[in-house]
C-alpha cells in the first residue's frame, strides 16, 4: 500500500504535563505511512511532500537521530515528538505469543484475567462487533464509556461521536476491516477497544474504560481477549499500537520502531511562534516532571489527578 498525502486540520496541543493550555489548529498536508510500508523498509516509497505546511506521522528516525529543529529547502524541519511505535506480530498461536513474556509478566497478566473471570462467577462476558448492523450499538455503548475517561475530558482524545464517524465504521465493517470490542461487568459495559485494519495491521485506535471499574483492570483484560481472538482468526499481519509511548503498549508489544512526527513548515510568524511555544512548554514539562520524580511526588500527583477526575466523572450529570 503506497501512502498518499491528504489535507487535514491538525491540532497542536500546547500543554504543560497533562494540562492542555491551548490547541490551535492548522490546515496542512498529512501523511500516515502504514506499518507494513515502514517494516518493508519502504521509505523510498513515501511520496515527496507537497508545497506548504506538511506533517509526516510516525516516521522512523533512523539509526542516527536527526536534529530536532533544522532549516531545509525553505521550510522549518521540526520533529515535534519522538516515540517507539509498538506492535505485535500476529504469527503462530496465542500461546506462542504468551511464551514471549517474562515469567513474572505472564503470571501477572493471567492473574488479572483470572481475577476478572472470578469476579464474573467463572465467566467473562464480552463481544466483538464486526458487522455493519452491529456498529451503531457498539458506537453507542463505547461513546458512553468514552465520556467518562480523562482522555476525553482533559485531552480531547475520546471516541468521536458524530454520524460521519459511525458511517466510516459501517463502511469498514462491510469489507471486514474493523473490530469493535466491548467488555461487560454483568450487563454493564465497562471497557471498549476499537481497532480498524489498514494495510494488514489492526490499529490501536481507541481504548477506554469506566474509571469506577479500574480495580478489575478492564483495559488489560480486554486487550488480552482481543489479541487472543486475532491470533485465533489466523489472518496474520500485525497489531499496531501506533504512535506514542505507554506502559500498556510496551507491556503487550513484541517489537517497536523508533519513530517521530515530522513537521515541514513555512517560516511564517504564526508557525515560528507555534514551534517556539511547543519547544518551550515541552522543555518546561520535562523539567517539572524531573523535579517531581526526584521528590517522589510524580506518581502520587498522577494518582490524585486522575482520582479527582474519576470523582468528577461519577458526579457529572
Amino acid at each position: 500500500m503506497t501512502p498518499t498525502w491528504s489535507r487535514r486540520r491538525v491540532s497542536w496541543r500546547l500543554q504543560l504535563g497533562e494540562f492542555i493550555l491551548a490547541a490551535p489548529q492548522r490546515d496542512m498536508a498529512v501523511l500516515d505511512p502504514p506499518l507494513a510500508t515502514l517494516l518493508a523498509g519502504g521509505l523510498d516509497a513515501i511520496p515527496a511532500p507537497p508545497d506548504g505546511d506538511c506533517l509526516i506521522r510516525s516516521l522512523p528516525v533512523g539509526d542516527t537521530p536527526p536534529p530536532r529543529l533544522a532549516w531545509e529547502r525553505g521550510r522549518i524541519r521540526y520533529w515535534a515528538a519522538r516515540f517507539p511505535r509498538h506492535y505485535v506480530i500476529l504469527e503462530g498461536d496465542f500461546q506462542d505469543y504468551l511464551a514471549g513474556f517474562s515469567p513474572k509478566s505472564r503470571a501477572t497478566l493471567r492473574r488479572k484475567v483470572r481475577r476478572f473471570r472470578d469476579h464474573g462467577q467463572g465467566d467473562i462476558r464480552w463481544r466483538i462487533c464486526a458487522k455493519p448492523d452491529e456498529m451503531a450499538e457498539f458506537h453507542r455503548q463505547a461513546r458512553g464509556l468514552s465520556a467518562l475517561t480523562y482522555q476525553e475530558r482533559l485531552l480531547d482524545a475520546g471516541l468521536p461521536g458524530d454520524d460521519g464517524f459511525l458511517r466510516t465504521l459501517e463502511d469498514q465493517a462491510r469489507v471486514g476491516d474493523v473490530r469493535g470490542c466491548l467488555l461487560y461487568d454483568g450487563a454493564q459495559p465497562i471497557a471498549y477497544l476499537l481497532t480498524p485494519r489498514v494495510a494488514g495491521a489492526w490499529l490501536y485506535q481507541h481504548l477506554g474504560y469506566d474509571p469506577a471499574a479500574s480495580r478489575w483492570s478492564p483495559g488489560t483484560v480486554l486487550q488480552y481477549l482481543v489479541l487472543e481472538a486475532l491470533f485465533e482468526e489466523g489472518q496474520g499481519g500485525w497489531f499496531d499500537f501506533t504512535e506514542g509511548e505507554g506502559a500498556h503498549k510496551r507491556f503487550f508489544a513484541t517489537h517497536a520502531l523508533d519513530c517521530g512526527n515530522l513537521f515541514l513548515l513555512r517560516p511564517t510568524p504564526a508557525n515560528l511562534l507555534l514551534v517556539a511555544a511547543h519547544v518551550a512548554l515541552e522543555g518546561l514539562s520535562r523539567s517539572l516532571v524531573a523535579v517531581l520524580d526526584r521528590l517522589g511526588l510524580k506518581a502520587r500527583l498522577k494518582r490524585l489527578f486522575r482520582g479527582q477526575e474519576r470523582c468528577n466523572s461519577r458526579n457529572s450529570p
Side-chain angles (χ1 to χ4, degrees):
M1 177 180 178
T2 301
T4 57
W5 292 92
S6 61
R7 301 295 302 183
R8 299 184 212 167
R9 296 287 287 175
V10 175
S11 178
W12 283 64
R13 289 180 184 167
L14 301 177
Q15 58 190 87
L16 192 59
E18 294 188 342
F19 293 96
I20 297 178
L21 306 179
Q25 294 189 339
R26 294 287 187 273
D27 184 60
M28 62 180 65
V30 180
L31 186 72
D32 286 300
L35 181 63
T37 298
L38 303 182
L39 293 178
L43 295 183
D44 291 339
I46 292 178
D51 294 334
D53 296 336
C54 302
L55 166 62
I56 307 177
R57 305 195 71 97
S58 203
L59 182 69
V61 299
D63 296 331
T64 303
R68 182 160 191 204
L69 192 58
W71 179 257
E72 182 179 290
R73 299 179 183 177
R75 285 189 285 194
I76 303 165
R77 182 182 176 93
Y78 176 50
W79 289 90
R82 285 276 305 276
F83 47 81
R85 182 168 176 168
H86 294 289
Y87 61 96
V88 176
I89 299 177
L90 299 173
E91 294 179 355
D93 60 32
F94 188 61
Q95 294 306 315
D96 292 335
Y97 164 71
L98 292 179
F101 285 78
S102 70
K104 181 179 179 181
S105 295
R106 188 165 56 249
T108 297
L109 182 56
R110 283 175 166 159
R111 183 175 68 250
K112 289 181 177 181
V113 174
R114 183 172 61 251
R115 186 166 174 262
F116 190 85
R117 181 177 286 109
D118 292 343
H119 171 66
Q121 299 181 337
D123 183 44
I124 295 180
R125 185 173 175 228
W126 76 294
R127 64 180 294 199
I128 296 178
C129 301
K131 299 177 181 178
D133 60 1
E134 296 174 329
M135 287 299 115
E137 182 61 17
F138 164 78
H139 188 246
R140 184 186 68 80
Q141 295 190 33
R143 272 297 307 148
L145 289 168
S146 181
L148 302 176
T149 64
Y150 83 94
Q151 289 95 336
E152 174 158 326
R153 287 172 168 265
L154 300 179
L155 303 180
D156 192 28
L159 185 76
D162 58 281
D163 291 340
F165 184 75
L166 174 56
R167 285 194 296 272
T168 297
L169 295 183
E170 291 170 342
D171 290 342
Q172 291 170 326
R174 288 187 183 95
V175 293
D177 280 345
V178 70
R179 301 287 187 270
C181 310
L182 292 160
L183 180 69
Y184 296 86
D185 185 352
Q188 183 68 28
I190 59 171
Y192 74 92
L193 173 61
L194 176 64
T195 173
R197 180 167 54 183
V198 176
W202 296 97
L203 305 185
Y204 179 83
Q205 191 172 77
H206 292 283
L207 171 72
Y209 61 87
D210 184 348
S214 60
R215 62 179 294 193
W216 304 114
S217 307
T220 298
V221 172
L222 184 55
Q223 183 72 69
Y224 175 98
L225 295 170
V226 170
L227 286 172
E228 182 179 34
L230 291 175
F231 271 101
E232 288 179 354
E233 284 186 16
Q235 297 185 39
W238 308 269
F239 187 90
D240 181 5
F241 284 102
T242 69
E243 66 183 60
E245 177 62 290
H248 178 93
K249 299 178 179 184
R250 188 168 56 250
F251 180 82
F252 280 101
T254 57
H255 299 77
L257 288 173
D258 190 12
C259 295
N261 290 336
L262 176 63
F263 283 90
L264 301 172
L265 304 170
R266 295 164 298 156
T268 64
N271 283 341
L272 290 168
L273 182 61
L274 194 56
V275 170
H278 195 265
V279 170
L281 283 171
E282 192 173 75
L284 181 57
S285 292
R286 282 198 303 268
S287 298
L288 287 174
V289 167
V291 170
L292 292 173
D293 207 16
R294 283 198 296 270
L295 294 175
L297 297 175
K298 177 183 172 183
R300 187 181 306 174
L301 287 175
K302 181 175 282 190
R303 287 194 299 270
L304 178 64
F305 172 72
R306 295 187 179 179
Q308 180 62 44
E309 185 59 29
R310 186 179 308 165
C311 292
N312 290 343
S313 70
R314 290 175 179 172
N315 296 329
S316 296

